[in-house]
Amino acid sequence: MAQIFREIVFQEPNSIFIKVMIMMNLIFSAILGYSEGSGKQNLEYSKFWNLKSQEKAKIPSKIGMIIAYTPSLIACLSFFWIFPNGGIRFFMLNFAITIHLFKRLLEVLFVHKYSGAMAMNSAITISSSYFIAFSSLIYIQHLTKGSIEPIIDLKYFGFIVFLVGIIGNFYHHFILSKMRKKGESGYKIPKGGLFNLVICPHYLLEIVTFFGFSLISQTLFSFSSTIGTLFYLMGRSYATRKWYLSKFEDFPRNVKALIPFVI
């Protein structure tokens, strides 16, 4: 297993920065995931926005999500100018992340339907987390320039995985948007697509998207980012399933939180 891992990951520079970022990413994501899953502290947006936020500064959900994604999108666009000779792998990674963020902003503006507010501190937490994660992902990819390429080249396969994730994620966001008719603000049990198997298929496909980034990048930090995303979204999806169980008596018990037939 260790031999296979060495064949698919860059021999990166011996950098303190990279090691620190990997550790910080995993620890921070694990803490967030545990806080979400245990219910001790949910990031206050979507159906969790008003759990403990009555006295906190809040903003409209659409504005909060724009704040969450815009700084990272601007950063990724700037990297095309800052690192113009990064090579094909660097370009593919930055292009994929830029497309992901641009798609998220389009969904915020034209697809999602909102019923509540968002705590300002949650918007800032999400925005800064995305900015640090994606900027580090791109910068560490830049640092691999001149390093020995992995024996097994997965970047083109990774781009296909990324496309599967991003298209599937959009499809399930679209299903959610069509559930709420004009003037409605309540929640319903989602149906259709993978919603018949898990309550958060959009999270599952978000993880697939990040796995695509990892396969394009093939750096240790990129794989740690996917693991970190898994930690957080596993906790968030578990909390989401508990929320549906508490609100709907007819919620199907066979529908899992994130992974069909498993969890």
Side-chain angles (χ1 to χ4, degrees), residues 6-64:
R6 283 194 291 269
E7 290 179 354
I8 66 174
V9 176
F10 265 99
Q11 295 183 25
E12 300 171 10
N14 187 19
S15 167
I16 295 296
F17 169 74
I18 295 176
K19 293 177 181 177
V20 168
M21 290 307 299
I22 290 172
M23 292 302 299
M24 285 180 58
N25 177 58
L26 290 174
I27 292 171
F28 180 68
S29 299
I31 291 172
L32 272 182
Y34 173 75
S35 296
E36 291 281 354
S38 65
K40 291 186 175 181
Q41 182 63 56
N42 300 99
L43 287 178
E44 293 150 300
Y45 65 95
S46 185
K47 55 187 65 64
F48 299 105
W49 80 269
N50 61 352
L51 289 183
K52 300 174 182 177
S53 55
Q54 296 299 325
E55 298 180 359
K56 293 183 180 179
K58 55 182 181 288
I59 53 178
S61 292
K62 180 176 285 191
I63 300 300

Side-chain angles (χ1 to χ4, degrees), residues 160-186:
I160 294 172
V161 173
F162 157 73
L163 289 176
V164 170
I166 198 172
I167 292 170
N169 177 265
F170 170 77
Y171 172 67
H172 289 89
H173 281 162
F174 184 74
I175 290 176
L176 286 175
S177 73
K178 291 302 177 183
M179 289 177 55
R180 186 176 289 165
K181 295 181 173 55
K182 189 174 181 179
E184 292 183 338
S185 59

Side-chain angles (χ1 to χ4, degrees), residues 32-221:
L32 272 182
Y34 173 75
S35 296
E36 291 281 354
S38 65
K40 291 186 175 181
Q41 182 63 56
N42 300 99
L43 287 178
E44 293 150 300
Y45 65 95
S46 185
K47 55 187 65 64
F48 299 105
W49 80 269
N50 61 352
L51 289 183
K52 300 174 182 177
S53 55
Q54 296 299 325
E55 298 180 359
K56 293 183 180 179
K58 55 182 181 288
I59 53 178
S61 292
K62 180 176 285 191
I63 300 300
M65 287 302 176
I66 290 173
I67 292 172
Y69 297 116
T70 301
S72 296
L73 177 59
I74 293 172
C76 287
L77 288 171
S78 71
F79 289 143
F80 287 114
W81 174 72
I82 295 172
F83 305 115
N85 301 311
I88 183 62
R89 189 186 297 274
F90 178 92
F91 176 83
M92 287 176 66
L93 178 63
N94 198 28
F95 179 73
I97 295 173
T98 301
I99 291 299
H100 168 69
L101 292 168
F102 185 63
K103 168 230 174 224
R104 294 297 290 123
L105 266 181
L106 289 179
E107 288 176 333
V108 168
L109 294 172
F110 303 112
V111 177
H112 295 321
K113 295 178 181 176
Y114 304 95
S115 60
M118 183 176 189
M120 186 64 184
N121 64 336
S122 291
I124 293 172
T125 298
I126 295 169
S127 182
S128 57
S129 298
Y130 270 129
F131 184 85
I132 293 170
F134 286 133
S135 296
S136 299
L137 198 59
I138 297 300
Y139 180 63
I140 290 172
Q141 195 67 47
H142 166 71
L143 292 179
T144 65
K145 189 174 182 179
S147 300
I148 299 174
E149 286 270 342
I151 296 173
I152 302 174
D153 187 352
L154 297 172
K155 61 179 178 286
Y156 297 111
F157 176 65
F159 197 80
I160 294 172
V161 173
F162 157 73
L163 289 176
V164 170
I166 198 172
I167 292 170
N169 177 265
F170 170 77
Y171 172 67
H172 289 89
H173 281 162
F174 184 74
I175 290 176
L176 286 175
S177 73
K178 291 302 177 183
M179 289 177 55
R180 186 176 289 165
K181 295 181 173 55
K182 189 174 181 179
E184 292 183 338
S185 59
Y187 283 90
K188 303 174 184 177
I189 300 174
K191 292 182 174 62
L194 292 177
F195 281 113
N196 298 325
L197 297 174
V198 293
I199 196 60
C200 294
H202 46 310
Y203 289 172
L204 174 61
L205 288 152
E206 183 94 349
I207 295 167
V208 172
T209 300
F210 271 76
F211 186 53
F213 295 154
S214 296
L215 295 178
I216 296 170
S217 174
Q218 293 187 242
T219 62
L220 191 58
F221 179 76

Side-chain angles (χ1 to χ4, degrees), residues 189-190 194-204 233-245 251-263:
I189 300 174
L194 292 177
F195 281 113
N196 298 325
L197 297 174
V198 293
I199 196 60
C200 294
H202 46 310
Y203 289 172
L204 174 61
L233 292 181
M234 188 178 292
R236 185 76 178 184
S237 62
Y238 182 74
T240 299
R241 186 175 185 272
K242 285 199 300 185
W243 184 91
Y244 274 100
L245 284 168
F251 182 82
R253 302 284 170 157
N254 63 307
V255 172
K256 301 298 185 181
L258 183 68
I259 303 173
F261 313 112
V262 180
I263 183 173

